[in-house]
Amino acid sequence: MYQNTIGFRYLAVMIKSTLSTLLLIFALFTGIANAQTSGQITPEERAQAMEYFIQGITDFENEDYEQSLDNLTAAHLKLSDNPGINYALSDVYLAMEDYSNASYYAQIAANSEPENRWYQLQLAEIYRQSGRYEAIIEVFDTILKYHPDDVDVLFLKAQAYVEFGQLVKSNETLDKLIELRGSEFELHLRKFQNFNAMQQQEKALKQLEIMRELNPGNLSTLHSISQYYLELDDEEMARETLLDARERNPRDPQTLILLAEIFINNEEWENLGETFFSMIEDPLLYPTQKMELVQFLYAQHQQRPEEEILVNQTQKAIMAFSRNEAEYGPAQLIASEFFIQQNEPELALETLERASEVAPEEPDVWSQRLQILFSKQRYEEVIDLSERATEFAPNNAFVLFFTGASYMMTDQYELSAKLLEEASNAPARRNFRSIIYGTLGDVLQELDRWDQASEAYDMALRLDRNNHNALNNYAYFLSDRGENLDEALEMAERAISIEAENAAYLDTIGWIHFKMGNYEEARTYIQKAVDTGDASAEVYEHLGDVYRELGDIENAEIWWNRAFELDPDRNHLKERID
């Protein structure tokens, strides 16, 4: 982006470059008619002043400012009105950020030779660094009085007006430059920026059109012109400008993205497809450039998920990208992400399998692949894949978690606890670490390591107080142990406030009431759990237990029977029923 200080950086470079010419200036001392005439200073004193001056300049170039100041001051004592010595002294004080003294000596030099642009520019630089912006304009006006066609100073003056917000005067100065030098791209760019800052869109657009004539192949200018036409509600001219840009460089992604926005706004899906597919199929375009196009299209789809044609176009583009750039890992990752969003896990897995071959170093390849396999309850495959995943994604919280959780689901609790503890120490976001600790609590509970399980649940809730699964499980196990039932009830109520229709959560709060002796309340909640249609055999058993405590043995046996039918391994229920 344009920086307003560029002109003054140029000024500082101009000033700095003149120091090396000071020796030449001093060589002209003998010909300068200053207040100190040849009758007032001897040749020996002039030679000594010359020696001090040369040494002072050498010290300055070596950045020994204190020593430079001593030598130049000694020279100044002998030739106090000499502009070259005063100029050099001002430069030393400026380097020391002593703006008062820098200004004093620079003013003497400038007053001695007002037509000398270098002395005046030194003064302008001092005013710039000390924040006296309005004084800078006075200096530039003095230079232009003697050198009215000095294009460098005119340019600096235009930039100085920008510094303190006088954009109209900046443009007037730029017009003077255009008169002197003719139309130049840079000058019209500056005018465009000023009109743009003043929100004068039509005048800004006029400058862009001039820039377009001066450099018709400049894509950045064509892009800016198109956006200005859109702001002026002239979509046809915006389209024409972008089509011109596309004709000049058919492989520029930014041009295509800007065109695509017009196509999407007008629901021109065929034009959109032609624009993107030709680029994605282009073997000369870099994969990173194609990625930019696909990401744009994918983002549009995410904003309009209900637009069926856009869904199809996005899928077509992503699949083409994945196919044509089979060796490019990010192409496979974005394809898998799209398939996951479209609830097509098998296609996502196929894509991730390819990605793990071409880009095994990408951690997301493994974490996504394991996550999908876990969600499909293919726990053995997760475990089998985990060794290779860990090789390429060591200390990855997702890889460790899904592997540990798979061991938990296959009743291998010791291995599960080991991996989940490793996952809890791996870098991850707070909410995911909360999930890890909550799952670790479940596993430690199965291992009958209750104190450690309790600590894991506490950590899970410190990391995320709304981790409803941890809230529910912690509450349930507390109730099952008959401990801290009031605290358990509070946690269960928080869990149910987040997922009101969760059968397991409804059962937990009902079971806590059961343990507290609130049998009617227990029946209400556990019946709600059954009514969700997702109740497990354990929920049916709990409802039978509630009816038994209410003295309704007939209903108790009905629910125990249903529990036994759902889970024939509950042999203790058969004994109750018999």
Side-chain angles (χ1 to χ4, degrees), residues 82 90 149 152 195 221 226 295 379 406 412 453 526 532 536 552:
N82 185 272
S90 76
D149 295 340
D152 289 331
F195 283 128
T221 300
S226 72
Q295 285 175 326
Y379 307 124
S406 295
Q412 300 179 70
I526 298 176
T532 65
S536 65
D552 188 343

Side-chain angles (χ1 to χ4, degrees), residues 214-499:
L214 292 170
N215 189 354
N218 188 308
L219 295 183
S220 178
T221 300
L222 293 174
H223 296 161
S224 297
I225 290 172
S226 72
Q227 297 312 290
Y228 260 85
Y229 277 127
L230 287 175
E231 289 180 21
L232 294 170
D233 293 326
D234 192 342
E235 190 178 271
E236 284 307 309
M237 283 302 298
R239 184 192 296 259
E240 181 273 326
T241 304
L242 289 170
L243 289 173
D244 180 20
R246 186 175 70 174
E247 186 175 340
R248 293 180 184 281
N249 186 349
R251 294 189 173 92
D252 178 58
Q254 186 60 30
T255 300
L256 297 179
I257 287 173
L258 293 174
L259 259 177
E261 289 176 347
I262 293 177
F263 294 151
I264 289 170
N265 188 52
N266 291 286
E267 299 185 355
E268 299 176 31
W269 309 118
E270 293 300 323
N271 283 333
L272 179 68
E274 290 174 11
T275 300
F276 278 74
F277 300 146
S278 61
M279 294 293 288
I280 292 168
E281 300 279 356
D282 189 342
L284 298 180
L285 204 66
Y286 289 115
T288 51
Q289 293 174 301
K290 296 181 182 181
M291 185 68 172
E292 186 179 353
L293 296 173
V294 171
Q295 285 175 326
F296 170 81
L297 191 59
Y298 187 29
Q300 298 303 315
H301 154 65
Q302 289 175 314
Q303 293 172 19
R304 303 171 177 81
E306 73 290 343
E307 188 63 63
E308 186 176 345
I309 299 178
L310 184 55
V311 172
N312 294 335
Q313 297 278 31
T314 304
Q315 180 164 346
K316 184 179 176 182
I318 286 176
M319 292 185 73
F321 183 41
S322 173
R323 181 180 63 254
N324 291 329
E325 301 296 338
E327 301 298 314
Y328 184 55
Q332 311 309 323
L333 279 173
I334 196 169
S336 68
E337 183 181 332
F338 175 79
F339 291 136
I340 291 169
Q341 188 187 67
Q342 295 301 114
N343 196 28
E344 297 186 48
E346 293 303 328
L347 283 175
L349 279 173
E350 289 177 20
T351 307
L352 288 167
E353 189 173 348
R354 289 197 301 273
S356 62
E357 295 301 323
V358 301
E361 71 285 353
E362 290 280 352
D364 288 348
V365 168
W366 302 103
S367 57
Q368 285 189 19
R369 191 173 172 188
L370 294 182
Q371 183 175 357
I372 296 171
L373 288 171
F374 184 85
S375 69
K376 300 286 288 181
Q377 300 181 15
R378 291 157 65 174
Y379 307 124
E380 294 294 344
E381 290 181 58
V382 173
I383 293 169
D384 291 342
L385 196 61
S386 64
E387 184 175 348
R388 188 156 182 255
T390 305
E391 177 187 349
F392 289 104
N395 200 36
N396 183 291
F398 289 93
V399 170
L400 292 166
F401 170 76
F402 287 114
T403 307
S406 295
Y407 277 121
M408 177 185 72
M409 299 305 292
T410 54
D411 298 334
Q412 300 179 70
Y413 297 113
E414 290 290 353
L415 287 170
S416 176
K418 178 179 178 296
L419 286 164
L420 290 172
E421 284 172 1
E422 289 180 26
S424 69
N425 293 318
R429 292 185 177 181
R430 286 179 64 91
N431 59 345
F432 187 63
R433 291 184 66 220
S434 174
I435 292 170
I436 294 170
Y437 274 108
T439 308
L440 179 58
D442 297 342
V443 172
L444 292 170
Q445 149 67 25
E446 291 291 339
L447 291 170
D448 201 22
R449 290 153 58 179
W450 175 248
D451 288 343
Q452 291 174 276
S454 180
E455 289 175 6
Y457 286 131
D458 286 335
M459 179 59 77
L461 297 176
R462 276 201 296 273
L463 291 166
D464 181 5
R465 67 182 306 273
N466 293 320
N467 182 339
H468 48 84
N469 194 61
L471 284 166
N472 175 76
N473 292 359
Y474 195 8
Y476 179 75
F477 290 129
L478 282 172
S479 68
D480 219 32
R481 297 171 65 87
E483 298 176 5
N484 302 327
L485 294 179
D486 289 335
E487 181 185 351
L489 183 59
E490 182 183 344
M491 286 193 290
E493 287 172 344
R494 280 168 55 197
I496 208 70
S497 70
I498 299 169
E499 283 202 8

Side-chain angles (χ1 to χ4, degrees), residues 38-204:
S38 59
Q40 295 172 307
I41 184 169
T42 66
E44 291 78 10
E45 289 175 317
R46 186 178 297 279
Q48 191 175 23
M50 178 71 160
E51 183 180 340
Y52 283 133
F53 179 81
I54 293 172
Q55 188 57 49
I57 294 300
T58 302
D59 293 333
F60 180 85
E61 290 180 346
N62 292 328
E63 298 185 4
D64 188 350
Y65 301 132
E66 293 292 345
Q67 190 61 47
S68 176
L69 196 59
D70 289 344
N71 283 307
L72 289 174
T73 301
H76 187 265
L77 288 173
K78 298 183 180 298
L79 295 171
S80 59
D81 291 337
N82 185 272
I85 294 176
N86 282 287
Y87 178 96
L89 276 167
S90 76
D91 226 13
V92 177
Y93 279 118
L94 180 60
M96 298 172 70
E97 298 184 0
D98 183 345
Y99 301 121
S100 178
N101 276 315
S103 175
Y104 172 76
Y105 287 106
Q107 192 70 64
I108 293 173
N111 290 342
S112 298
E113 293 184 15
E115 73 282 1
N116 188 312
R117 71 197 293 268
W118 297 111
Y119 296 163
Q120 298 290 351
L121 287 171
Q122 172 77 349
L123 195 57
E125 174 63 11
I126 293 165
Y127 289 154
R128 184 191 73 81
Q129 291 196 29
S130 58
R132 297 171 60 187
Y133 292 110
E134 293 187 10
I136 296 172
I137 298 298
E138 296 177 10
V139 174
F140 290 149
D141 285 341
T142 300
I143 299 174
L144 292 169
K145 177 180 176 182
Y146 295 97
H147 310 282
D149 295 340
D150 190 321
V151 293
D152 289 331
V153 173
L154 283 167
F155 185 81
L156 291 170
K157 184 180 178 183
Q159 289 304 103
Y161 278 129
V162 173
E163 283 287 327
F164 47 90
Q166 295 191 27
L167 302 181
V168 173
K169 289 187 176 180
S170 175
N171 277 350
E172 290 171 356
T173 309
L174 289 167
D175 286 336
K176 173 68 173 174
L177 273 167
I178 292 169
E179 287 178 19
L180 291 170
R181 300 183 61 164
S183 286
E184 292 185 359
F185 190 91
E186 176 71 14
L187 299 178
H188 288 286
L189 172 62
R190 303 291 178 182
K191 287 192 70 176
F192 158 72
Q193 290 165 336
N194 289 340
F195 283 128
N196 186 39
M198 291 187 286
Q199 298 184 340
Q200 297 182 16
Q201 293 176 329
E202 292 187 1
K203 291 182 178 180

Side-chain angles (χ1 to χ4, degrees), residues 2-39:
Y2 161 67
Q3 297 288 328
N4 283 338
T5 56
I6 188 170
F8 291 113
R9 286 201 297 272
Y10 174 55
L11 169 59
V13 170
M14 289 169 66
I15 298 295
K16 191 73 175 173
S17 68
T18 61
L19 265 180
S20 61
T21 67
L22 281 175
L23 290 176
L24 294 176
I25 295 173
F26 196 87
L28 300 176
F29 279 2
T30 54
I32 298 174
N34 287 327
Q36 290 125 322
T37 66
S38 59

